Amino acid sequence: MSYSDIYDHSISNREDFWAEQANELKWSKPPQTICTPQNGHHKWFADGMINMSELCLDRHVLEGRGMQNAIIYDSPFTGQVEHITYKSLLDQVSKFAAGLRNLGVGEGTTVIIYMPMIPQAIVAMLACARIGAIHSVVFGGFAPHELAMRIDDAKPKVIISASFGIEFDKKIPYKILVDAAIKEAKHKPEYQVYYRREEGFDSLAGKGELDYNALMRCGTVDARPYPSTHPLYILYTSGTTGTPKGIIRDTGGYATALNFTMKNFYNVRPGDVFWAASDIGWVVGHSYIVYAPLLYGCTTILYEGKPVRTPDAGAFWRVIEDHKVNVLFTAPTAIRAIKKEDPDGRLLKKYDLSTLRQLFLAGERCDPATYEWISALLQRPVIDHWWQTESGWPMLGIMTGIEGTVPKAGAAGKPVCGYDVRILTEEGAEAAVGQEGYVVVKLPLPPGCLTTLWKNEIRYIKGYLEHFPGYYLTGDSGFKDGDGYFYIMGRVDDVINVSGHRLSTGEMEELVSGHPAVAECAVMGIADELRGQRPVALVVLKDGQTTSNDDIEVALVQLIREKIGAVAYFRNAAVVKRLPKTRSGKILRKTIRNIADGTRFTMPSTIEDPTVLEEIKQVMRTRKLGNAFI
Ligand code: COA
Ligand code: AMP
């Protein structure tokens, strides 16, 4: 059957289609109920019972995969390479699960995991899944303030961390960061568990502070089934305000969807080596470093390094050769970083890449120049695909396991089975071919997508389902061409994408506005050659403030680093006399962005005073902010 036949079946016979896919998994109790409406949205496989850790581990060991590598951990930062078989991973997970259970962690208990890219992070995730605890992995590059917000929302009983992380030659002192976050948070977790990466980290004397290895000595625990709809995890993502949104993922629907994608989207086979070069703190890491490859019996690569400077821009190609990687998935930023340092691909040619079949790109828009460069160099299919934390798995792309579609440069692809993707105008009508509009998905969403927001169903419904009744609002804008390919053009809200990391300019504005010298501000993403986008702030100082632009810039850079983290890559702030506003007082952020990027725009009819735009342009030109002025 071709792509269009299978896709049409997935939309017109939705329940049959997903019941067939669910059948591919070993359920403790197979579901009889497939899709149930609930509060304007839907839940999947409501009466099924399943355990994710059993599916990822026990089953493979029983079926003879025990001695196959489940994880290959490769850390150019420490020089370590470790091969962990399915049998060994099962052993570690069942021990750590027993340790957690000893602390009173059980079904529905929340646990935060704030760790570098080490195997113990995956052990912790699977151990939570084994005992029905809900994990929330917080990206290790976030600052204590971000961790504190997540602690207050998720209210974990336990935080699991490590003695340190590594960024090139810099150590990230997690214990200090966790202590600072707990101090700031109102909720105080009972326990903090640390994995010691080296001898000499012996400061675990505080109340509730425990050694990871001590938890490994509490026996083992068997997996027991939980309802399919039981939350597997909370994953916080940036929204338009300072408060992150806790995406909830169920278990059975997620397992069904991920299992489906491995064969049909990524075209892998059990036993293949799958490498998602992302971080376990992001959705790509959850779905394609941890759960999908292990569900499908693949070997997953856990890479604690960078595309460049570890030690050079040949790092990715070295990993592919060393571990015989079959499929690589990374962000366009990583490819741009490699291209910048090795434009002729001389390093690439040093390695044997014969095992590599395909490269997948996602996380941000892939510019055609990068796409062409890497396609020519690799001489293999390069597949852009589009999805988000909320979906948990690809929504647009090329389903390489099914015949019938080929990539088109610049396009994010065609809808993946289960997703009825549409482009709507502001009025809610279907947009014409080529006309840009809101990218939405007609309900019901397929299995595996967010089921709600953690303890905030109202925010879920308001933020995603109310704008266009009957549709899920993705927050992206785009258009569809005459051949049915979709093009994603960017966000319609205050979310930006820096090196594939999703961040909120709304949150940055809240922080910048909180500075005592600042009266008001606008933070927006401007184009960045390497990172895709980076945030900059335009600030209006309070009357009487004499602070220089350089001084306020230094203070604000420090503030964002401290509160969000260095990953925000906030480097510039420019003082302006006033901001362009509508007559009702709304800041015209999109217009400022257009000015910075040098894109044509129509003067908003609601603007209070158009002359302010010339002032802004002048300041941005002087401070070399924005693509138009560099
Ligand atoms: N923990 C702590 N700090 C981190 C971090 C982490 N996990 N990740 C990045 N940082 C820090 C960096 O050390 C740097 O700090 P500095 O300002 O003190 O030097 C800062 O955040 C900015 O980092 P980054 O923008 O990543 O710049 P870089 O020069 O270190 O690396 C790239 C540039 C392109 C190589 C890197 O951004 C990269 O690998 N990008 C791909 C990311 C990716 O895969 N995203 C996909 C998610 S699906
Ligand atoms: P995240 O939730 O962090 O995965 O970020 C999701 C957002 O990243 C999407 O809403 C898009 O704005 C952007 N994005 C992800 N993949 C792509 C892609 N292939 N092309 C364009 N934008 C993308």
Side-chain angles (χ1 to χ4, degrees):
M1 285 222 286
S2 71
Y3 159 77
S4 52
D5 294 333
I6 300 179
Y7 174 75
D8 291 347
H9 175 54
S10 79
I11 299 300
S12 50
N13 301 305
R14 204 174 282 279
E15 295 210 32
D16 291 350
F17 180 86
W18 288 111
E20 280 162 36
Q21 303 312 325
N23 258 339
E24 302 271 315
L25 296 177
K26 188 172 164 290
W27 295 74
S28 308
K29 177 175 174 276
Q32 303 302 316
T33 314
I34 306 304
C35 183
T36 328
Q38 174 192 296
N39 218 2
H41 48 106
H42 302 81
K43 56 185 177 183
W44 288 91
F45 313 124
D47 58 354
M49 300 285 284
I50 203 160
N51 183 299
M52 185 63 116
S53 137
E54 183 179 18
L55 288 182
C56 290
L57 303 170
D58 308 56
R59 176 183 59 124
H60 296 311
V61 174
L62 281 174
E63 289 172 4
R65 249 176 230 290
M67 297 319 288
Q68 181 195 310
N69 289 322
I71 302 174
I72 301 176
Y73 164 60
D74 185 311
S75 173
F77 287 141
T78 63
Q80 257 178 298
V81 174
E82 195 183 336
H83 294 78
I84 303 169
T85 62
Y86 271 96
K87 187 166 176 300
S88 164
L89 186 60
L90 169 60
D91 181 56
Q92 294 183 46
V93 168
S94 49
K95 283 182 177 154
F96 196 67
L100 286 176
R101 202 179 50 181
N102 253 22
L103 301 182
V105 174
E107 184 172 349
T109 313
T110 49
V111 172
I112 279 188
I113 299 171
Y114 179 59
M115 292 180 94
M117 289 280 287
I118 54 176
Q120 290 71 22
I122 298 184
V123 170
M125 291 166 81
L126 290 164
C128 287
R130 197 162 187 83
I131 54 175
I134 305 166
H135 65 67
S136 183
V137 182
V138 176
F139 172 56
F142 275 136
H145 172 68
E146 291 289 328
L147 179 58
M149 283 198 288
R150 287 155 175 81
I151 292 174
D152 277 336
D153 199 66
K155 301 201 170 27
K157 188 180 181 80
V158 180
I159 295 190
I160 305 167
S161 189
S163 44
F164 60 87
I166 313 175
E167 278 285 301
F168 300 106
D169 51 0
K170 184 171 69 180
K171 279 195 176 176
I172 311 292
Y174 281 123
K175 173 89 171 52
I176 293 172
L177 303 180
V178 171
D179 285 346
I182 293 177
K183 193 162 169 228
E184 181 179 330
K186 287 190 201 70
H187 171 82
K188 307 292 174 195
E190 269 175 65
Y191 300 102
Q192 300 118 60
V193 178
Y194 290 94
Y195 177 72
R196 296 169 195 247
R197 298 190 72 177
E198 64 178 14
E199 296 304 314
F201 176 79
D202 57 2
S203 53
L204 297 180
K207 189 164 168 276
E209 291 176 359
L210 299 167
D211 187 329
Y212 176 99
N213 282 323
L215 262 70
M216 296 295 265
R217 294 191 283 268
C218 305
T220 58
V221 68
D222 286 338
R224 58 158 271 234
Y226 295 99
S228 167
T229 52
H230 181 66
L232 179 68
Y233 62 76
I234 309 168
L235 178 56
Y236 287 92
T237 190
S238 300
T240 48
T241 69
T243 324
K245 302 185 280 195
I247 302 299
I248 295 290
R249 192 87 62 211
D250 72 355
T251 310
Y254 188 46
T256 303
L258 293 185
N259 195 60
F260 170 74
T261 59
M262 289 306 273
K263 176 162 164 236
N264 297 286
F265 192 89
Y266 295 102
N267 197 17
V268 292
R269 294 178 282 271
D272 277 351
V273 180
F274 192 88
W275 180 21
S278 175
D279 189 288
I280 46 146
W282 305 115
V283 68
V284 174
H286 281 63
S287 295
Y288 292 105
I289 295 176
V290 183
Y291 290 113
L294 297 180
L295 265 171
Y296 207 60
C298 292
T299 298
T300 186
I301 304 284
L302 182 69
Y303 176 66
E304 190 185 28
K306 303 271 174 178
V308 292
R309 293 186 284 142
T310 46
D312 57 27
F316 273 21
W317 321 130
R318 192 271 302 161
V319 172
I320 292 172
E321 177 182 296
D322 282 0
H323 307 308
K324 304 193 169 26
V325 171
N326 300 116
V327 168
L328 170 63
F329 174 166
T330 190
T333 301
I335 303 297
R336 286 195 293 268
I338 296 170
K339 181 177 162 212
K340 191 160 170 257
E341 296 198 9
D342 184 23
D344 303 323
R346 259 181 291 148
L347 290 165
L348 180 142
K349 287 172 196 133
K350 278 175 45 185
Y351 295 94
D352 174 7
L353 305 186
S354 56
T355 56
L356 185 72
R357 297 196 297 261
Q358 313 203 78
L359 168 67
F360 290 88
L361 298 173
E364 57 180 318
R365 194 177 114 74
C366 182
D367 54 288
T370 303
Y371 181 87
E372 301 296 350
W373 181 79
I374 192 66
S375 300
L377 212 56
L378 283 178
Q379 293 291 310
R380 287 164 178 78
V382 176
I383 317 289
D384 186 9
H385 61 319
W386 169 80
W387 50 297
Q388 49 185 197
T389 307
E390 289 85 343
S391 69
W393 56 283
M395 296 191 278
L396 291 173
I398 301 300
M399 301 198 62
T400 64
I402 300 175
E403 300 278 303
T405 39
V406 287
K408 220 187 215 193
K414 290 195 173 186
V416 176
C417 290
Y419 288 100
D420 188 352
V421 184
R422 311 275 180 104
I423 306 289
L424 298 186
T425 64
E426 183 66 65
E427 294 70 38
E430 201 97 22
V433 166
Q435 184 189 0
E436 191 172 334
Y438 291 87
V439 186
V440 298
V441 183
K442 192 166 186 302
L443 297 177
L445 291 172
C449 296
L450 82 168
T451 54
T452 187
L453 296 179
W454 179 245
K455 302 225 157 107
N456 208 340
E457 174 89 351
I458 292 174
R459 190 175 179 195
Y460 170 53
I461 291 174
K462 274 192 179 334
Y464 295 101
L465 307 179
E466 268 185 12
H467 198 97
F468 296 113
Y471 297 88
Y472 162 82
L473 183 73
T474 66
D476 282 348
S477 73
F479 66 91
K480 186 170 143 177
D481 72 10
D483 299 324
Y485 286 80
F486 285 76
Y487 296 72
I488 301 296
M489 304 309 289
R491 298 284 306 189
V492 293
D493 55 15
D494 296 334
V495 166
I496 56 169
N497 210 309
V498 183
S499 301
H501 307 323
R502 175 167 158 183
L503 300 166
S504 163
T505 53
E507 176 181 9
M508 293 182 212
E509 279 187 12
E510 285 175 27
L511 292 168
V512 170
S513 310
H515 187 280
V518 174
E520 61 177 349
C521 72
V523 177
M524 69 263 166
I526 59 166
D528 181 273
E529 213 184 317
L530 176 63
R531 293 173 178 81
Q533 282 184 297
R534 69 185 180 95
V536 299
L538 296 184
V539 297
V540 178
L541 296 181
K542 285 180 181 159
D543 284 350
Q545 281 291 336
T546 50
T547 325
S548 74
N549 198 142
D550 287 350
D551 286 349
I552 191 80
E553 186 172 70
V554 168
L556 294 177
V557 166
Q558 189 53 28
L559 179 76
I560 299 293
R561 229 184 145 79
E562 255 173 46
K563 296 287 182 188
I564 296 180
V567 283
Y569 204 75
F570 180 91
R571 295 286 203 269
N572 295 104
V575 174
V576 293
K577 285 204 198 72
R578 52 198 182 131
L579 291 166
K581 288 186 183 170
T582 62
R583 280 184 283 277
S584 61
K586 248 181 111 190
I587 297 171
L588 288 160
R589 292 182 176 75
K590 194 162 175 226
T591 312
I592 306 176
R593 220 165 38 224
N594 289 145
I595 293 175
D597 287 342
T599 47
R600 290 166 73 90
F601 63 94
T602 323
M603 179 70 72
S605 57
T606 52
I607 192 163
E608 191 187 23
D609 177 4
T611 60
V612 67
L613 297 183
E614 206 37 58
E615 288 170 25
I616 300 259
K617 239 186 232 177
Q618 198 51 47
V619 172
M620 292 183 102
R621 188 173 291 128
T622 312
R623 297 197 73 82
K624 295 196 166 46
L625 288 184
N627 256 24
F629 308 112
I630 294 170

